Amino acid sequence: MRIFQFLIFIALFATTTSQAAEFPFQITRDTNGKIEQIILQKKAIVSTESAGEMIGEMKQALIEMRGNRIQFANLAEQIEVPSEYKVDMDVANSALMNEITPKDFDDPKLHTELAKAQKEIAKAPFFRLLADPNHPEAFDEEKALQLTIDLIFKAAHQVLVISPLFSVFEGLVDEYLEALMSRREFYQNQLVYLVQTNPAIFSDDEKKAILSSVYYSRISILRLDKRAKARKTWDSYGINKFKEEVTDKCDGFVNPGDVAFGNCFKLVEQKIRNRLAKKHLLSKKTAVAFNYDHHRSVRNYRIVVMLVKLGSKIAPIPSPGGTVFRKFLSSLYKPQRRSEGFLYAWLADNNQADLSKWVLYSSANPLISR
């Protein structure tokens, strides 16, 4: 059946001042009007979509931190590392201060290999895919990505033979992949907000299928059993997951008199608290999405965590210890910035364009922040 496209520039929530208007969704329907796919418009993708911007930001952060070790120490202290990771933290920090230099980020071979990696990774269509309501298998293609990554690392290892260039390369590729996945989930959450708050765009059946597709995409490709179960309960899977992961988590979080940004975000002592994410995987405290007293603090904190994570790649932390430590570090920013798509959507819906820009900036994701 011939496919045609409705390019819906969802001035998302009908406001020209909304930042969301800059990030429209493209909805593809068949000739009978049935939704085929919902993807990010190319307009939603930063024109400099490359690992190069990430290199530049990491390099600049390293320059600043090496130039002011006291500042770095103060920021690193804010990470609140549990006692079992203290040694790993010290080793990673030492690697950042002593084993790499800003000049390492300028190495032409590093840039060449990163450009090659980006080109191969960009061939995967699912990074722009937000939902495929009638074809769950569209997200099953992600299992082929790991083979691609393995080949990328194998080829780069033959070129980046000078230590610690390959470790830097490996860390930056990992971070680039996370940035792509984080961007997708961020805008999926914006789409979910739209599905739940705007009754005019989608039918009830479409809403159910869109939610199921969104939450299906977040099931690990290694959990074939969970993916199979989701496909069998497609009509209710997304609705139930939304209730579990959003409605139930946020129930009772906002009280009368609170300065709130929807049901899951509220102002506490000049900080916007995020009920959808903890400070880290071992914490019970809600994450901070924005600090009114220090507008750049959330972004700076996340970049420091990324730097420490890069240091842990370079440092001699034996596996599986290094892997476990990096998982902890990832928990300090990955779930937080992904869930902030809900905050961004609410701000856009309520004409708070200035604050929505800070949410993008605070993500510390060069693929969505400008």
Side-chain angles (χ1 to χ4, degrees), residues 161-224:
V161 294
I162 301 175
S163 181
L165 274 185
F166 179 73
S167 295
V168 172
F169 170 82
E170 191 177 28
L172 289 172
V173 170
D174 286 347
E175 208 56 58
Y176 181 62
L177 285 166
E178 155 55 21
L180 285 166
M181 295 299 288
S182 177
R183 182 185 65 186
R184 185 178 79 182
E185 192 164 326
F186 182 94
Y187 288 115
Q188 279 181 328
N189 287 336
Q190 188 181 23
L191 173 63
V192 169
Y193 177 94
L194 173 66
V195 166
Q196 297 289 57
T197 61
N198 194 320
I201 296 178
F202 304 108
S203 69
D204 288 342
D205 286 342
E206 287 175 339
K207 291 175 182 178
K208 292 176 183 177
I210 290 169
L211 289 176
S212 290
S213 182
V214 165
Y215 286 105
Y216 179 89
S217 73
R218 300 176 187 181
I219 303 173
S220 168
I221 57 174
L222 301 177
R223 295 305 306 269
L224 298 180

Side-chain angles (χ1 to χ4, degrees), residues 41-214:
Q41 266 282 15
K42 288 185 178 179
K43 187 178 181 181
I45 298 174
V46 176
S47 59
T48 55
E49 183 182 340
S50 71
E53 186 170 342
M54 190 175 297
I55 295 175
E57 192 157 67
M58 289 284 198
K59 174 187 173 181
Q60 186 58 38
L62 185 63
I63 290 173
E64 292 176 6
M65 298 312 168
R66 288 174 71 102
N68 191 337
R69 297 189 178 222
I70 294 176
Q71 180 190 26
F72 176 78
N74 290 338
L75 286 170
E77 279 293 317
Q78 294 177 24
I79 297 178
E80 296 183 5
V81 179
S83 58
E84 59 262 41
Y85 298 132
K86 287 290 186 182
V87 173
D88 294 339
M89 184 71 173
D90 291 341
V91 173
N93 287 343
S94 177
L96 282 175
M97 291 295 125
N98 302 304
E99 295 185 37
I100 61 172
T101 70
K103 287 184 179 181
D104 290 326
F105 290 91
D106 294 330
D107 191 290
K109 291 181 180 179
L110 175 64
H111 282 258
T112 299
E113 293 306 307
L114 278 169
K116 290 179 183 178
Q118 179 207 341
K119 184 177 179 180
E120 289 302 311
I121 293 169
K123 293 177 182 178
F126 45 77
F127 288 123
R128 284 183 59 205
L129 179 61
L130 301 181
D132 193 324
N134 301 296
H135 303 96
E137 64 275 10
F139 289 105
D140 292 340
E141 295 179 14
E142 292 183 21
K143 59 188 175 185
L145 180 62
Q146 188 55 55
L147 177 60
T148 300
I149 300 304
D150 291 342
L151 292 173
I152 286 172
F153 286 155
K154 184 177 180 180
H157 200 267
Q158 304 301 312
V159 178
L160 303 174
V161 294
I162 301 175
S163 181
L165 274 185
F166 179 73
S167 295
V168 172
F169 170 82
E170 191 177 28
L172 289 172
V173 170
D174 286 347
E175 208 56 58
Y176 181 62
L177 285 166
E178 155 55 21
L180 285 166
M181 295 299 288
S182 177
R183 182 185 65 186
R184 185 178 79 182
E185 192 164 326
F186 182 94
Y187 288 115
Q188 279 181 328
N189 287 336
Q190 188 181 23
L191 173 63
V192 169
Y193 177 94
L194 173 66
V195 166
Q196 297 289 57
T197 61
N198 194 320
I201 296 178
F202 304 108
S203 69
D204 288 342
D205 286 342
E206 287 175 339
K207 291 175 182 178
K208 292 176 183 177
I210 290 169
L211 289 176
S212 290
S213 182
V214 165

Side-chain angles (χ1 to χ4, degrees), residues 292-311:
Y292 277 93
D293 288 334
H294 304 282
H295 289 187
R296 291 177 170 79
S297 63
V298 172
R299 182 185 180 93
N300 291 344
Y301 174 82
R302 290 173 179 175
I303 290 175
V304 168
V305 173
M306 292 177 200
L307 270 177
V308 173
K309 191 176 168 187
L310 182 62

Side-chain angles (χ1 to χ4, degrees), residues 6-19:
F6 291 150
L7 303 184
I8 301 186
F9 294 94
I10 305 174
L12 271 182
F13 327 125
T15 167
T16 56
T17 60
S18 167
Q19 278 294 302

Side-chain angles (χ1 to χ4, degrees), residues 227-276:
R227 290 200 167 202
K229 184 177 180 180
R231 288 196 295 270
K232 289 178 180 179
T233 58
W234 199 248
D235 285 345
S236 59
Y237 177 73
I239 292 175
N240 291 338
K241 287 299 291 183
F242 178 80
K243 181 179 183 299
E244 174 189 335
E245 297 193 6
V246 180
T247 306
D248 291 349
K249 278 186 178 180
C250 298
D251 184 39
F253 181 60
V254 174
N255 300 305
D258 287 341
V259 177
F261 310 85
N263 295 326
C264 302
F265 298 84
K266 71 177 181 182
L267 191 65
V268 180
E269 297 178 347
Q270 292 300 100
K271 296 176 182 178
I272 297 179
R273 291 283 178 176
N274 177 2
R275 187 66 179 86
L276 295 171

